[in-house]
Each structure stands twice: as C-alpha cells, then as structure tokens.
Amino acid sequence: QKEVEQDPGPLSVPEGAIVSLNCTYSNSAFQYFMWYRQYSRKGPELLMYTYSSGNKEDGRFTAQVDKSSKYISLFIRDSQPSDSATYLCAMSVGGANSKLTFGKGITLSVRP
Amino acid sequence: GAVVSQHPSWVICKSGTSVKIECRSLDFQATTMFWYRQFPKQSLMLMATSNEGSKATYEQGVEKDKFLINHASLTLSTLTVTSAHPEDSSFYICSARDRRGTSVPEQYFGPGTRLTVT
C-alpha cells in the first residue's frame, strides 16, 4: 500500500459544478495536509494547507481533513475553466526539514 | 514573494554527457532545498534534500554519484546529472523552504526543467 493514494482521473466537469477531490493515507504521523495545483509543464503551487483535522476555507476552495479515517478532501465551488489543472495532495509529519509525500495527482478539466 | 527559478527550463543532451540544472530562490533565503523528478502523469518523487553547506540526503534508490547536488549558498542549489542516459529523461523540479519558515513544511516550487537525453 502506498503512503498516499489519490483518486484516479481524469475528471471532467461543466463550468459551475462543485468538484470533490480526495486522498487517503496510511501514515498516522502525518500532521500537515496540503493541496497543490500544477498546470501543464509548470511547477506545483500551494493552494491550501491544513494542520491536523478540521476544515479550512479560502474563497471557492475548502479543504477537509479527517484523521480518524485518514481521508482528506478538496472541494471547489463554482468551478471555472481556469481551475483546469492537475491537483496533488501532499502530506508531512511536520518540522523544519520535513519532506512532503505526494499523491499521484488528478487532472481536472472544467468545460465552459 | 517566495519565487523559485530554475535554469534551464528545458535541455536536450546526448547520452553520456552531463547536465547541470540550477535552482534559485529569488526573494528569500533557503536553508533547505528539495529535488524531485516527475514522469508523465506521475506524481513528484523526491530525489534528495539539500541543506546549505552540507551534503545532500538522498532517497532510497537514488544514485548519489549520478545525481550530484550542491547547495553552496542560501539562494542556489544545483543538480548535475552525470553520464546521462535516455532513462534519465524526465521533468526535474526543485523546491525551497524559507529559512524564516515556521513548523509548517511549506515548500515553494520552481517551474521545472525538462531533460531529454537522446
């Protein structure tokens, strides 16, 4: 079992739809949960991070973490064509030099 | 703020030659930089972690003599792929942590370098 599993894609939705992206993990030591967005042939950019369990909202984006189930989600409301990208979940145990463990990524396409 | 650059953005080289990729933090000082490689439709795989002024820590299965990492200053790390072969063709991405960072393991990523070995 991989440390981080991410729902396979690709995912195609119409503009305005609510998108749900999910990851599961096996390492109970993970404390930081992040979502990165990566456009084609570009480096990833951090969208949001959450520490421990709970929800976090930033504009149209909501991140949820359920540590008891080892399950995290990213919701995108009112999706836009500009949201079309690959979304990667990443996790870390924390600390100054702590490395990130990434999910495989899911490619989202928002149709106008 | 928190901009990381990479150079070159793409490179084509012949089998057996060496290629150097630079990673710079432009507006912050980075005590730690990370090097990843990414195959098409695959996730980022951490290759090594480098701290300024010390030897890099390589992940299991990564040949340290093939992938030479130098982190000579707080704003520059280099990755040299020595004696490159076609199987080394990949997308190489670096990231950096701000030395003023908190316990949040946030990394700022460069735009990546596409290496093609013919």
Side-chain angles (χ1 to χ4, degrees), chain B residues 43-91:
Chain B
S43 188
L44 281 77
M45 297 302 296
L46 181 64
M47 299 174 66
T49 302
S50 76
N51 291 295
E52 184 264 339
S54 62
K55 289 185 177 180
T57 301
Y58 290 81
E59 294 299 299
Q60 191 173 11
V62 178
E63 299 175 60
K64 62 180 180 180
D65 293 331
K66 180 170 185 61
F67 299 99
L68 302 178
I69 292 172
N70 184 283
H71 192 163
S73 77
L74 286 172
T75 60
L76 173 65
S77 177
T78 60
L79 167 68
T80 301
V81 183
T82 63
S83 187
H85 291 285
E87 58 266 29
D88 298 323
S89 298
S90 187
F91 193 51

Side-chain angles (χ1 to χ4, degrees), chain B residues 12-29:
Chain B
I12 301 172
C13 70
K14 292 186 176 181
S15 186
T17 61
S18 295
V19 175
K20 179 185 284 187
I21 301 170
E22 291 187 349
C23 175
R24 293 182 185 272
S25 55
L26 297 184
D27 51 3
F28 66 98
Q29 293 182 323

Side-chain angles (χ1 to χ4, degrees), chain A residues 32 34 36 38 41-46 49 88 92 94-100 102-105, chain B residues 32 34 36 38 41-44 46 51 59 91 93 97 103-107 109-112 114:
Chain A
Y32 292 91
M34 301 175 167
Y36 281 85
Q38 185 178 23
R41 300 179 183 270
K42 301 291 185 183
E45 57 176 327
L46 180 66
Y49 80 87
L88 303 110
S92 172
N97 297 326
S98 179
K99 58 185 180 182
L100 296 176
F102 281 86
K104 194 174 178 178
Chain B
T32 304
F34 303 85
Y36 297 82
Q38 186 178 34
K41 299 186 179 182
Q42 298 293 319
S43 188
L44 281 77
L46 181 64
N51 291 295
E59 294 299 299
F91 193 51
I93 307 176
R97 273 183 54 78
S103 60
V104 180
E106 184 171 1
Q107 295 178 20
F109 284 82
R114 182 156 303 280

